[in-house]
């Protein structure tokens, strides 16, 4: 089920593939989003499968008073839609009584709720009116039929955009959930560059709503934010094109793009970024030896694959066999794609068994893949790096560049160490 | 709609996957949306399988909805057949595909594959994982078991039914049970689903009887085999020394062999360990048991009859076997808790104030939060309960494992004695947790135990219907602090209950000891 390749004039060779996909659905985004927005609650309207998925993905986290749950659709809910809305109201009421600290409630659509066409947008509007002004209720879909893994974050942030206040002030919005430590580092760097005011989307609390308007510039910190970007443009904001801030080079180019957009003098940019660049260079040197010349294969997972491949190839000297991505936004990834070596095989979509055949034939030194594939490939003596860790670990910015490289060298170092 | 945070069981198609993954030469094509492949990692991560589960998902997306999904399904079935060349296939739908109009059975039949293709009807909005495993195994046995045997069967031969992938200690239980049967001189014809091929299922009829290890999974299949192949079955769980002895007697009777050599053998260390003086302190320890029906019932029996604990709670999330659990609870003079709502289990644990909880991964976390020792005896489990070492629940070695498992979270006798005697010493003050609880203070979120305990007591009070205000005199409060912390919560709630029942306005030192005398009858 492979379509024809559609090569660009130069640069990477992009192919499309259709077939079985081994990927998470967008519901998984809840696992890190709920940590980021500290007074939000995520209520999935779905099946037992959805609850089971979140429980499997959240692992042990589910017990620390988590701010997510599932309203499991039962047989009687399938009987009639009016009833389902009443049921949902009842569940939400019970939930908010138990958790009065919640300020923002997301109704998260799933495959079952989408297929039976349960109108969660309408439910959110109705419940918002009921609970105003204490709780805002929004909705988005994290279903597998519509979203792949990180696209759940995109859908969530896109749902936040209409809710943002309007401004005519010139400002910068950094879009994409980042670890707090990374967010703080970027805030300091922008302040050193004299860029301001700088806001982050999502904010850490429901009340932190970045104002947007026609003089707002935004820069994406994550590559999977198609719908959020479109919604921001709809509010008049303008995107600052840049490669993503992974590795020392990526971070420098990302900051430089913002500096250019705000007319920061090159000398000031150099001064502000010099210490970070020097530290990142020192941290990366230790890992380059291990990764240089290594052949890497990416299975599709998060859309981070293209910028990660760019980092591994340009800064670590790795060779790229195939870069799989579940979805490729050519506009948002143009700068990263341009930095990939000519002829790099980039595959959008997946036909799992065919891709596994290619991987086995190539016998890569390192395969970046999901947890369903990692142990089976290891058992075939193919070293792997499980990809979901790249979403939970702070990897962006100068100070994390060494950690990022470390995530890829660790499996290789471990291989070298084990003797039994 | 049911508000859920934690689910004890996955949807029924996960049960089907557990059967398919346990077997060899069988492939499962699951009509499911993109994303449902998350289930693979239960097998590759929790059970650390070195191969992907034999499951092909159609992973349809929104753009495929409409006529396309049926075509995708047919393509997936024929591609999977070409690639994997299985002896048989099972096909079915996950929860979302169940809502579509596609008919996996009809679509698969239309392909006319030269192997048996068995359709599964797994109602995802009514049933759950264990039911799915049971139904799948039953359908497979029905379809593949062949006609009843005509040749006379060897009397001392049996099938072992029930072990699956992702089963709690199924791998090691199987080794123990095979050992017991081998020692009795009983031949094992087929073990299924674990390790069996579809062709093996065709030989099921050659055995004289069946051994059902896990009724949650294999009872329906065994009942069908009893009806159509005239194979009786044994369902006694060989868990604990008594359970194992009863099992040995039951299979020996069916096989017509002498059980004495096995029963007279060395058996288990559990009986001696439980009789040794260090175990005296285990007497009457209050234990709360929750899990799947088979493991909950067995653990309750071992805990009470073989180790000498007192059962203060027994429950299960297995609605299919609720009757058995209710009967067992009644035998202990308590009422069974049948629920799949972990908040109900948490409330029951808080109210029963046990000194030990035996449960699933879920109860481990509840107990940690309440500061109560706990051991895991049933699925759902995390990766640490699929250990590298041999760790059965069944057979005589299983009994050894159970003794260690139940006792280790508690303080050893001497440690507990010292703690009570020297509770004001810096090394033995109230904040010191049993050494087996590891870093206990952080389990309580860094709060003093006192506070967590007060919270637990409040929870209990809130749960009681006629909870009036109860006031403690300062001296009584001080005296209460002299009660060892691990029974202090119970002492507090008993005293308050005593005071409330008598409408006493103030709890004095007298009241405290009156209550103690009252409840120690």
């Amino acid at each position: 089920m492979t379509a024809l390749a559609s090569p660009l004039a130069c640069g990477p060779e992009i192919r499309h593939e259709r077939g079985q996909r081994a990927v998470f659905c967008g519901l998984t985004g809840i696992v890190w989003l709920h940590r980021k927005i500290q007074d939000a609650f995520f209520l999935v309207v779905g099946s037992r499968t959805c609850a089971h998925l979140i429980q499997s993905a959240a692992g042990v986290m589910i017990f620390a008073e988590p701010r997510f749950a599932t309203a499991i659709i039962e047989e009687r809910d399938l009987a009639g839609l009016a009833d389902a809305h009443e049921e949902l109201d009842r569940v939400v009421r019970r939930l908010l009584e138990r958790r009065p600290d919640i300020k923002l409630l997301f109704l998260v659509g799933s495959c079952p709720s989408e297929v039976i066409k349960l109108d969660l947008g309408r439910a959110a509007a109705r419940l918002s009116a009921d609970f105003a002004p204490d709780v805002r209720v929004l909705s988005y879909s994290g279903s597998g039929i519509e979203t792949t893994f990180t696209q759940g974050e995109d859908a969530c942030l896109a749902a936040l955009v209409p809710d943002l206040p309007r401004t005519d002030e010139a400002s910068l919005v950094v879009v994409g959930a980042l670890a707090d430590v990374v967010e703080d580092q970027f805030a300091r760097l922008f302040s050193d560059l004299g860029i301001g005011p700088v806001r982050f989307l999502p904010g850490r609390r429901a009340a932190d709503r970045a104002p947007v308007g026609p003089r707002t510039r935004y820069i994406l910190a994550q590559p999977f934010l198609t719908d959020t970007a479109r919604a921001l443009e709809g509010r008049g904001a303008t995107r600052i094109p840049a490669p993503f801030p992974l590795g020392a080079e990526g971070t420098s180019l990302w900051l430089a793009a913002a500096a250019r957009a705000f007319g920061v003098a090159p000398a000031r940019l150099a001064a502000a970024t010099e210490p970070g660049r020097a530290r990142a260079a020192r941290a990366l040197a230790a890992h380059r030896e291990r990764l240089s010349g290594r052949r890497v294969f990416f299975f599709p997972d998060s859309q981070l694959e293209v910028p990660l491949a760019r980092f591994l190839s340009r800064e670590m000297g790795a060779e790229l066999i195939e870069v799989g991505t579940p979805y490729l936004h050519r506009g948002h990834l143009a700068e990263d794609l341009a930095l990939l070596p000519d002829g790099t095989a980039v595959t959008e979509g997946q036909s799992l068994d065919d891709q596994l055949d290619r991987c086995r034939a190539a016998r890569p030194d390192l395969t970046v893949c999901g947890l369903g594939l990692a142990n089976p490939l290891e058992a075939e003596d193919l070293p792997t790096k499980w990809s979901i860790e790249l979403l939970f670990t702070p990897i962006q910015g100068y100070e994390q560049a060494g950690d990022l490289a470390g995530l890829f060298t660790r499996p290789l170092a471990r291989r070298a160490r084990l003797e039994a | 709609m049911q508000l859920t945070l934690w689910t004890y069981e996955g949807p029924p198609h996960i049960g089907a996957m557990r059967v398919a993954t346990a077997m060899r030469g069988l492939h499962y094509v699951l009509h499911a949306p993109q994303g449902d492949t998350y289930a693979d990692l239960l097998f590759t991560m929790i059970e650390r399988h070195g191969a992907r589960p034999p499951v092909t998902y159609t992973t349809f997306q929104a753009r495929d909805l409409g006529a396309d999904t049926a075509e995708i399904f047919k393509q997936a079935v024929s591609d999977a057949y070409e690639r994997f060349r299985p002896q048989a296939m099972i096909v079915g739908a996950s929860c979302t595909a169940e809502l579509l109009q596609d008919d996996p059975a009809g679509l698969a039949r239309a392909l006319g594959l030269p192997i048996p293709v068995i359709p599964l009807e797994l109602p995802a909005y009514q049933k759950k994982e264990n039911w799915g495993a049971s139904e799948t195994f039953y359908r497979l046995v029905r379809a593949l078991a062949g006609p009843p045997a005509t040749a006379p069967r060897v009397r001392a031969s049996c099938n072992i039914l029930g072990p699956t992938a992702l089963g709690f200690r199924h791998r090691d239980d199987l080794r123990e049970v095979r050992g017991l049967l081998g020692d009795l001189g009983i031949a094992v014809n087929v073990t299924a689903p674990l390790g069996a091929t579809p062709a093996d299922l065709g030989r099921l009829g050659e055995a004289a009887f069946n051994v059902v290890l896990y009724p949650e999974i294999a009872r329906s299949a065994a009942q069908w085999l009893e009806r159509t192949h005239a194979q009786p079955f044994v369902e006694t769980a060989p868990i604990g020394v008594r359970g194992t002895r009863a099992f040995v007697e039951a299979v020996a009777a069916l096989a017509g062999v002498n059980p004495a050599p096995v029963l007279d053998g060395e058996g288990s260390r559990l009986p001696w360990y439980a009789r040794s003086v260090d175990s005296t302190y285990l007497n009457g320890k209050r234990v709360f048991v929750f899990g799947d029906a088979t493991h909950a019932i067995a653990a309750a029996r071992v805990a009470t009859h073989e180790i000498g604990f007192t059962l203060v709670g027994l429950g299960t999330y297995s609605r299919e076997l609720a009757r058995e659990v209710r009967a067992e609870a009644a035998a202990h003079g308590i009422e069974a808790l049948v629920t799949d709502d972990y908040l109900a289990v948490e409330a029951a644990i808080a109210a029963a104030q046990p000194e030990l909880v035996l449960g699933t991964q879920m109860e481990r976390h509840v107990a940690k939060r309440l500061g109560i020792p706990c051991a895991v005896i049933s699925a759902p489990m995390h990766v640490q309960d699929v250990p590298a070492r041999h760790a059965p629940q069944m057979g005589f070695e299983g009994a050894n494992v159970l003794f260690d498992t139940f006792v280790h979270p508690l303080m050893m006798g001497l440690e507990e004695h010292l703690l009570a005697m020297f509770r004001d010493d810096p090394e033995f003050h109230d904040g010191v947790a049993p050494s087996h609880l590891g870093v206990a203070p952080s389990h309580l979120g860094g709060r003093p135990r006192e506070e967590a305990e007060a919270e637990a007591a409040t929870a209990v009070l809130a749960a009681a219907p006629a909870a009036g205000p109860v006031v403690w005199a300062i001296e009584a409060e001080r005296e209460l602090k002299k009660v060892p912390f691990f029974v202090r919560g119970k002492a507090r709630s008993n005293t308050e209950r005593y005071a409330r029942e008598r409408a006493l306005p103030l709890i004095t030192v007298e009241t405290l000891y009156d209550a103690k005398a009252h409840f120690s009858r």
Side-chain angles (χ1 to χ4, degrees), chain A residues 375-390:
Chain A
N375 270 338
L377 288 173
E378 292 278 353
E380 295 179 28
D381 205 26
L382 294 172
T384 60
K385 164 73 215 117
W386 46 284
S387 49
I388 193 171
E389 197 176 7
L390 295 157

Side-chain angles (χ1 to χ4, degrees), chain A residues 347-386:
Chain A
T347 308
E348 185 185 19
Q350 184 173 35
S351 171
L352 177 62
D353 286 313
D354 295 332
Q355 198 167 34
L356 278 167
D357 286 346
R358 295 198 297 272
C359 178
R360 289 179 180 123
R363 297 208 67 81
D365 296 310
L366 188 66
T367 302
V368 185
C369 62
L371 289 173
L373 300 179
N375 270 338
L377 288 173
E378 292 278 353
E380 295 179 28
D381 205 26
L382 294 172
T384 60
K385 164 73 215 117
W386 46 284

